[in-house]
Amino acid sequence: MNSIFLRIYGGTLAVLVLVGLLGAGSLHWLNEERVDRHREAMAGGTFRMMAQALQDMTIVQRRQATSDWGRELGAVLRVRTFRDAHLEPRLESRLLRDQVLVRQVRPGSFTLYSLVSADERLLLEGEMEQIGEQLARMTSHLLVAGLVRYPADEQPERLAELARRLQFGFDMRLLAIEAVNLDREQRQHLDEGDTLVLQDGHGEALRVLDIVPGSTWVLQLGPLYRMSLYPPQLLLLIAALGLTLIGLTLYLLVRPLERRLLELEQAASHIAGGQLDVRVPDSGSDSVGRLSAAFNHMAGRLQRLLAIQGEMVSAVAHELRTPVARLRFGLEMSCEAASDEARARYLQGMDTDLEELDQLLDEMLVYIRLGKGAPSLNFTPVALDALIDQVIAELAPLRPEVELLRGPCHAEAMVDAEPRYLRRALINLVSNAMRHAKSRVQVRFFHEDGRAGLEVEDDGPGVPEADQEKIFTPFLRLDDSRTRDSGGHGLGLSIVRRVIYWHGGRVQVGRADLGGARFTLLWPARHGGD
């Protein structure tokens, strides 16, 4: 869980930093473009008007006009050649298309260029610090000076033509003096020929009013809006793009997890439908990878358990068929017996069959109990020498022709074990050895590197190396020797393996010095705290 959290948290933090840097950089770059466009829109018409006015002037007149305009604007104006301006070819091309250029010279200062004469390759250059009230006044004076040359009734049409030709970036119109909403003091200043600069709203825009001499018109420029560096629309756009980038990043981070979880869900559905061989990719060290590995382990174990269950059902049916058939036969024959002696013989055979069934059911119950999970094991000190002697005394009478004895034991006899299950494992090993031995079975105990060991050897045919793992499979018969005469149902060795597994040990199979098979149980001699 931690790795997934860190992955998503780290990815989100990284994309937040990236979004912040991209947002700040984009806003800075956009504002530079917007400022240049705003300056060009506000000052472009005025500079075009001045440049056109300079076309028909002499050099002396041009110097005088630029000096007068510069003082009024609070800027430095000069007429220069293209070569002196050191403009790039693409900028010269824009000037020749009658565009006004804006270039940042240094922080807080910019330069505007407007074409004066394409033939003479002259331009008007003006270095300014801000576009504000002075530029608005200058623009108003130039327009009024151009309008007074026309009759009053033609002035609105001439103003519209100038606005269209010079491409001013703000509204301009002629208003009847009676239509202008002014107080007495403002009206007096206007009548005296002063230029009025009024602020609209909270200082967000300017309006410039100037009376046109010899007429009843008032020239109004504006409103001229101040450019906002952080307009809500732009901030909303950057925020939307940032949220989109964050959402896309989170999707790319979460999508693989969602896909892997979907694979788990589909695999679980397939297993629920009976497709037990379905597995999911378990790559990755995060919690989903570990969950996938645990799921595959569970699915494999479930498949094995169900396969074993099916094999057990089939094997149990097979194991039960013979004693049940013998019971039925014995029951029929006992009913038809001609004498009490014959009936007793049949009943004795039926009792043996019932004992075999009881033994089979007992082994199945033990095997199932050990296969359900970790059983409740009560580890206590066990004397291995006494355990071996007890098992020998119990099993030796079953096959008197086989010598069952305890081998040399030179180790500490007391070890930690679960007495009941360990005794059951030893009985199963000794019983198995006695069934296959020719004449001798030997049992001993030993210690090895902190582990206790029990060893059972016989002089029988032994177990082929290729079959040493198969013999622990429930109900498996390697040959036909394990019949009713020799006994056994194929569960004894499976129980042995499970018993020693829950003791934390293992069982080994090899070739005995006696010539037959050797079975060795190894488990920790001490179980501290268990």
Side-chain angles (χ1 to χ4, degrees):
M1 183 63 186
N2 291 336
S3 61
I4 292 179
F5 167 76
L6 291 177
R7 189 186 311 166
I8 295 178
Y9 176 76
T12 304
L13 185 62
V15 77
L16 284 176
V17 173
L18 179 62
V19 166
L21 293 176
L22 289 177
S26 301
L27 188 60
H28 177 73
W29 178 78
L30 287 174
N31 277 336
E32 286 185 345
E33 292 293 322
R34 292 177 61 243
V35 167
D36 287 346
R37 291 182 179 275
H38 177 75
R39 289 168 176 170
E40 183 178 338
M42 292 295 103
T46 305
F47 267 70
R48 288 190 189 93
M49 187 163 50
M50 290 189 293
Q52 290 183 9
L54 292 171
Q55 290 177 357
D56 299 327
M57 295 183 184
T58 64
I59 296 177
V60 175
Q61 290 173 331
R62 288 172 179 170
R63 291 176 180 172
Q64 184 63 42
T66 54
S67 177
D68 294 341
W69 293 339
R71 282 195 302 272
E72 187 171 356
L73 281 173
V76 179
L77 298 179
R78 62 176 69 90
V79 177
R80 307 183 67 179
T81 64
F82 279 29
R83 177 181 299 177
D84 294 338
H86 302 292
L87 295 177
E88 299 174 9
R90 61 181 183 85
L91 297 180
E92 292 183 0
S93 177
R94 290 180 58 187
L95 274 176
L96 293 173
R97 292 197 301 269
D98 202 24
Q99 295 183 10
V100 174
L101 304 181
V102 179
R103 293 178 64 189
Q104 185 81 31
V105 178
R106 56 182 177 272
S109 178
F110 58 94
T111 302
L112 292 98
Y113 301 94
S114 183
L115 180 66
V116 174
S117 172
D119 297 333
E120 300 179 55
R121 300 185 70 81
L122 296 177
L123 55 83
L124 174 63
E125 178 186 87
E127 185 175 339
M128 304 180 65
E129 293 184 357
Q130 62 179 358
I131 295 177
E133 182 178 331
Q134 289 178 314
L135 179 64
R137 289 177 182 273
M138 177 68 182
T139 305
S140 180
H141 294 167
L142 291 174
L143 288 172
V144 170
L147 291 174
V148 296
R149 298 199 299 266
Y150 301 98
D153 57 345
E154 296 182 12
Q155 289 175 356
E157 182 180 350
R158 295 296 180 181
L159 180 64
E161 180 184 352
L162 284 174
R164 183 171 55 254
R165 180 163 50 87
L166 299 177
Q167 303 176 20
F168 286 90
F170 46 83
D171 185 38
M172 56 179 61
R173 65 185 62 187
L174 290 175
L175 302 175
I177 194 169
E178 297 82 6
V180 182
N181 185 18
L182 299 173
D183 57 30
R184 178 179 298 179
E185 183 179 358
Q186 292 171 338
R187 178 63 179 272
Q188 182 179 351
H189 284 295
L190 192 62
D191 291 338
E192 292 175 355
D194 293 339
T195 301
L196 295 182
V197 180
L198 307 178
Q199 291 188 355
D200 289 347
H202 301 285
E204 297 177 355
L206 297 177
R207 283 190 306 126
V208 180
L209 299 176
D210 215 341
I211 194 166
V212 180
S215 71
T216 59
W217 297 117
V218 174
L219 174 63
Q220 175 181 284
L221 304 183
L224 285 75
Y225 292 99
R226 302 180 187 275
M227 195 194 80
S228 172
L229 294 178
Y230 307 103
Q233 300 89 340
L234 182 59
L235 295 179
L236 286 175
L237 176 61
I238 293 177
L241 292 176
L243 290 175
T244 301
L245 184 58
I246 292 173
L248 179 61
T249 303
L250 289 176
Y251 173 80
L252 294 177
L253 289 172
V254 174
R255 176 57 182 166
L257 300 176
E258 184 180 6
R259 184 176 62 251
R260 292 161 67 189
L261 291 175
L262 181 60
E263 290 175 349
L264 275 171
E265 179 184 356
Q266 292 174 345
S269 300
H270 289 317
I271 289 178
Q275 301 180 30
L276 301 180
D277 57 342
V278 175
R279 300 294 184 268
V280 295
D282 57 359
S283 59
S285 59
D286 55 16
S287 57
V288 177
R290 294 192 297 272
L291 176 62
S292 299
F295 178 88
N296 288 339
H297 178 73
M298 177 200 69
R301 181 170 175 79
L302 179 62
Q303 186 177 19
R304 287 192 300 273
L305 289 176
L306 290 178
I308 291 173
Q309 184 184 48
E311 292 174 359
M312 284 186 62
V313 170
S314 176
V316 168
H318 177 76
E319 293 289 338
L320 290 176
R321 183 181 296 113
T322 300
V324 168
R326 287 198 301 264
L327 281 172
R328 180 181 294 109
F329 176 76
L331 182 61
E332 292 176 353
M333 294 305 295
S334 63
C335 293
E336 300 175 359
S339 63
D340 293 339
E341 182 180 352
R343 184 178 294 107
R345 188 172 62 253
Y346 290 128
L347 291 176
Q348 179 63 37
M350 293 171 63
D351 184 67
T352 302
D353 291 331
L354 289 174
E355 183 178 349
E356 182 180 348
L357 287 175
D358 184 66
Q359 182 182 1
L360 173 61
L361 293 176
D362 179 64
E363 289 187 352
M364 286 184 59
L365 289 175
V366 173
Y367 181 79
I368 292 172
R369 189 183 307 119
L370 291 172
K372 286 183 178 179
S376 179
L377 300 180
N378 181 25
F379 288 95
T380 59
V382 175
L384 294 181
D385 52 355
L387 176 63
I388 292 176
D389 292 341
Q390 180 184 7
V391 171
I392 290 176
E394 181 178 341
L395 298 182
L398 298 181
R399 285 196 68 187
E401 69 275 14
V402 175
E403 182 183 10
L404 178 58
L405 52 85
R406 190 174 82 177
C409 303
H410 306 292
E412 170 65 33
M414 299 302 296
V415 297
D416 290 344
E418 212 291 332
R420 180 164 54 96
Y421 285 116
L422 184 61
R423 179 177 178 274
R424 182 58 179 261
L426 183 58
I427 288 176
N428 286 0
L429 284 180
V430 175
S431 299
N432 182 75
M434 292 183 67
R435 280 195 297 269
H436 298 285
K438 297 177 181 178
S439 60
R440 187 178 181 186
V441 173
Q442 179 176 285
V443 185
R444 74 181 188 95
F445 68 87
F446 60 92
H447 280 196
E448 179 183 284
D449 298 330
R451 295 179 298 176
L454 280 172
E455 188 174 87
V456 179
E457 295 183 342
D458 63 69
D459 60 353
V463 180
E465 186 175 353
D467 297 328
Q468 289 180 359
E469 183 64 27
K470 297 179 182 179
I471 59 175
F472 295 101
T473 304
F475 299 106
L476 177 69
R477 294 179 182 274
L478 297 180
D479 50 43
D480 295 331
S481 64
R482 294 171 64 184
T483 61
R484 186 175 183 269
D485 294 332
S486 63
H489 304 284
L491 283 175
L493 293 180
S494 301
I495 293 174
V496 170
R497 168 173 275 188
R498 291 204 172 183
V499 167
I500 205 64
Y501 171 79
W502 293 121
H503 276 70
R506 67 181 187 274
V507 57
Q508 297 176 342
V509 185
R511 173 66 64 175
D513 294 337
L514 298 178
R518 176 196 293 127
F519 287 84
T520 305
L521 304 182
L522 292 171
W523 74 96
R526 296 289 179 262
H527 284 262
D530 291 340

